[in-house]
Amino acid sequence: MGEVFGRTTMKLLAGFVGASLITCTVMAQTQNDPPGRVGRLAFVDGTVSFHDDEENGWTKAVVNTPLTSGDALWTEPNSRSEVSLAGTRIRLDGSTELDMTQIDDRQVRLQLAQGRVDVKTTAQMDATQPYEIVTPRGTITLQQQGDYYIEAGSQQDPTRLGVRAGAAQIQGLNGQTLAVRPGEVGEVYGDGSSMQLKAVRAAPPAPAASWAARDKQVVYDQQPQYLPAGMTGYEDLNAYGNWVNDGSYGQVWVPRSTPAGWAPYRTGHWSYVKPWGWTWIDEQPWGFAPYHYGRWANSNNRWVWVPPQREERPVYAPALVAFVGGLELAAQLGNQGSNTGPVGWFPLGPREAYVPPYSTNRDYYQRINRAARIQDRDLNDRWARAQRREAFVAGQNSVLANQRFATIVPSQAFVRSQPVQRAALKVTADQITKAAVAPVSAPPAPTASIAAVAAGKAAAKPADDKAPAEVKGPADAKAKAGDVSVSKTAVADMQTLAKPKPAENEKKAVAPGPKIASTDSKATTDKADTKTAVPPLQPRQGAAPPALKETDKAEPEKAKQETGKSEPAKQEPGKAAAPSQKEAAPAPPKPALASPDPSPSKRDDGKRDEPKQAAPSSDKPGEPQSRQEERKQAAPAQQKPNAAPQSKQEEPRQATPAPQRSPAAAPLPRQDEPKQQPAPKPEAAPRQEAPRQAAPAPAPQPRAEPQQQPQQAQPQRPQPQQAPKDRETRAPAPQQQQIAQPPKAEQQQQQQQPQRNNNGGGGGKKDKD
């Protein structure tokens, strides 16, 4: 039993180890496969330059160029460009350099060496894979769907992150982290040794007005409902085409206007883009998504694009086409010569499998075809035929749907990225349909034979062809066929056109751009090295960035001032609402005096409101209408609790505020002061609250009457009793009608109230009122 148990255990362990090795192998192959997510150069205005990780200089950028890890863009001053990435819009301002450090299925990491970008993400953004943007002073992480703007900064200007919507954070080079919320701008100053991070409560600068026309034409937020999420390049479809219902394929997209004799993959050129190889770049502004996702069908003499299934995650392909060429095509077209060997292609139709020439991973092959509504049986059959190098030949096996619409060009024009429309050869449909179709989606070498082999036999070696024998060897071996380079595909080991050498390819126009420090650093695949690489700070180019207006930040400062002393300078402009808001702080003591009955409240309007005018206008220093009135109003407010000898002198001064509220003019109360002396006295009780408001403002007293203040002694409290007597005799003043109406009994109650307040503390000033 023990031996049996031991053998069983060993078998299980061996099986587990074997399964683990297989899983690791599949994961390793998957990691080596090209990413399913890419970026796209969607818009160009002005001079925009481009270079990849293998180029030593800048070349002219072309719309619809796919962008992946190692690529870089540069916009000249007064120029702009736009990058789209799975629904995310990245707009580059002038004098901006943006490097695609890492773009794959796991992460999007960009590097803003200099300039400014505006980034707006949509609902397609995966919150578990936030975007990262490396700046000279730290790394910015866009954590949520939102609208952002980022300035790389310079040696004179800070690095900025503005959040219009969403959530983001900045991690400085010193490890310090700053979270930035909507309506804020995060700023980073200094360098690695002295780094400072702060958040400013200010509206981020709006995008340039020149983007208004682009916004009207292209809408990223409204993705067509027939497309899967995460597809790059969908933003132009609604602007340049219509969605119609087709009886065979369902909802399809049809371009509105096309040139005469147009067919898919005919208005553009081919370019060698790593790691995929030969990639189609179309000239039409909408020409990205329909050429890298889905399939094309010719329905009722009209080309329609069949989008991929919404349920499947889209996987980018360099070009969803099948190729013809080699010796068989040359024989069909006549002897073209070894230097002008023809090569052709045509779009794959619905439910036709695409065999990538750059990957031997079958799982990748299935993922890239899963959204094309292809049954597993057909996928397996197509993969097996590719492994056998079995081509499609008319009369021997099935012919692909769109073969008769193939476009043929000389191989030299193909590898030199010449415009296809100008280099296309005139070929009849019968000649094209008789040509053999390559087993994988790669352009055949002009001296190679791609004819199908006999049924049931293994891959046949081309007979009477010396060129294939010369290029035998590993898959990456190269040979010379005419004046073009030849290599072999990873799948089926087929001879194909290789990336041209600089001597073979036409010289590309040199475009302006900043100096490229080192191309090797951009091509590194080590994440640790990539994350530590930080661009150096550059000197300022052009005008300085706009200053931020911290309008929202002033509110908390005002709140602090309300609790203490307020700023008189801010209220001098004559804000009517400001005094009312700042009176809210001294308002709580009012209910204690306003509680007795409405009659005292009317008296408050007569004289208690007078100090209110002096207090709120300057927040207790006194700024109603002029400095002279402030001095005359603020001084009596503090002289009220003083000694009796100055009570008669205070009465005319106390009368001055009363006419200021009843008649609007300020000078009139001064002329009527001798007549209004008896009027203010009946309001001794209500005016006790005014000293509370005027008391905290000692500043105007020395300016108002510096000689009278030393004579006024606060400890004398019996004076308020004498004040009512004088007020009774002078009560019938004609101008103080509101004060004369209440009976003497009410006046006595008002006299008693200050006495009770004096017992409670702080009544010296109230009694004097």
Side-chain angles (χ1 to χ4, degrees), residues 260-272:
W262 174 84
Y265 299 96
R266 191 169 290 179
T267 55
H269 66 276
W270 291 92
S271 179
Y272 197 92

Side-chain angles (χ1 to χ4, degrees), residues 262-270 279-282 286-296 303 305 317-323 345-348 354 402 405-409 420-421:
W262 174 84
Y265 299 96
R266 191 169 290 179
T267 55
H269 66 276
W270 291 92
T279 301
W280 176 257
I281 299 178
D282 201 81
W286 49 264
F288 191 88
Y291 294 107
H292 304 291
Y293 309 93
R295 301 291 190 271
W296 283 94
W303 285 104
W305 178 63
L320 294 166
V321 299
F323 282 92
W345 62 91
F346 56 89
L348 290 172
Y354 167 75
N402 297 325
F405 301 106
T407 302
I408 312 296
V409 297
V420 169
Q421 283 185 312

Side-chain angles (χ1 to χ4, degrees), residues 482-507:
D483 60 349
V484 294
S485 297
V486 176
S487 64
K488 289 188 176 182
T489 61
V491 179
D493 199 26
M494 186 190 78
Q495 298 181 38
T496 181
L497 297 175
K499 180 180 179 179
K501 296 180 180 180
E504 300 170 358
N505 194 8
E506 290 182 349
K507 293 183 179 180

Side-chain angles (χ1 to χ4, degrees), residues 346-362:
F346 56 89
L348 290 172
R351 303 178 182 88
E352 293 180 351
Y354 167 75
V355 182
Y358 47 82
S359 176
T360 58
N361 185 7
R362 187 168 182 175

Side-chain angles (χ1 to χ4, degrees), residues 47-60:
T47 303
V48 181
S49 306
F50 166 84
H51 82 80
D52 59 19
D53 57 355
E54 293 184 347
E55 292 180 349
N56 296 325
W58 296 89
T59 58
K60 183 179 178 181

Side-chain angles (χ1 to χ4, degrees), residues 664-680:
L668 294 176
R670 298 173 185 168
Q671 298 175 359
D672 298 339
E673 283 178 359
K675 297 180 181 180
Q676 294 177 354
Q677 291 177 356

Side-chain angles (χ1 to χ4, degrees), residues 351-583:
R351 303 178 182 88
E352 293 180 351
Y354 167 75
V355 182
Y358 47 82
S359 176
T360 58
N361 185 7
R362 187 168 182 175
D363 181 67
Y364 176 82
Y365 161 77
Q366 292 179 346
R367 286 192 296 112
I368 202 171
N369 287 286
R370 190 171 292 132
R373 303 176 178 88
I374 305 175
Q375 297 181 0
D376 293 341
R377 180 187 61 185
D378 296 335
L379 282 176
N380 296 334
D381 179 69
R382 185 71 179 88
W383 179 261
R385 294 175 65 172
Q387 299 298 322
R388 299 193 303 264
R389 295 177 56 192
E390 183 178 349
F392 290 87
V393 179
Q396 297 182 6
N397 46 35
S398 59
V399 178
L400 300 180
N402 297 325
Q403 183 173 350
R404 67 183 185 275
F405 301 106
T407 302
I408 312 296
V409 297
S411 57
Q412 294 177 345
F414 185 96
V415 298
R416 292 176 180 177
S417 301
Q418 294 180 356
V420 169
Q421 283 185 312
R422 291 186 295 180
L425 301 176
K426 295 182 179 180
V427 182
T428 63
D430 294 338
Q431 292 175 320
I432 296 175
T433 54
K434 295 178 181 179
V437 179
V440 295
S441 296
T447 57
S449 174
I450 58 174
V453 298
K457 292 185 179 181
K461 297 180 181 180
D464 299 335
D465 187 5
K466 297 181 180 181
E470 295 176 357
V471 298
K472 289 182 180 180
D476 58 347
K478 294 183 179 180
K480 195 74 173 177
D483 60 349
V484 294
S485 297
V486 176
S487 64
K488 289 188 176 182
T489 61
V491 179
D493 199 26
M494 186 190 78
Q495 298 181 38
T496 181
L497 297 175
K499 180 180 179 179
K501 296 180 180 180
E504 300 170 358
N505 194 8
E506 290 182 349
K507 293 183 179 180
K508 296 183 178 179
V510 178
K515 182 179 180 181
I516 301 175
S518 60
T519 56
D520 296 338
S521 61
K522 295 179 179 296
T524 180
T525 57
D526 189 356
K527 289 185 180 180
D529 296 342
T530 302
K531 290 189 177 182
T532 56
V534 176
L537 280 171
Q538 302 293 335
R540 177 190 297 168
Q541 295 186 6
L548 299 177
K549 297 181 181 180
E550 302 182 36
T551 54
D552 297 338
K553 192 175 181 180
E555 295 181 357
E557 295 178 356
K558 290 182 180 179
K560 294 179 181 179
Q561 294 172 3
E562 291 175 0
T563 57
K565 294 182 179 180
S566 59
E567 298 179 3
K570 293 183 180 180
Q571 292 181 348
E572 280 184 356
K575 292 183 180 180
S580 62
Q581 293 176 354
K582 295 185 177 180
E583 285 180 6

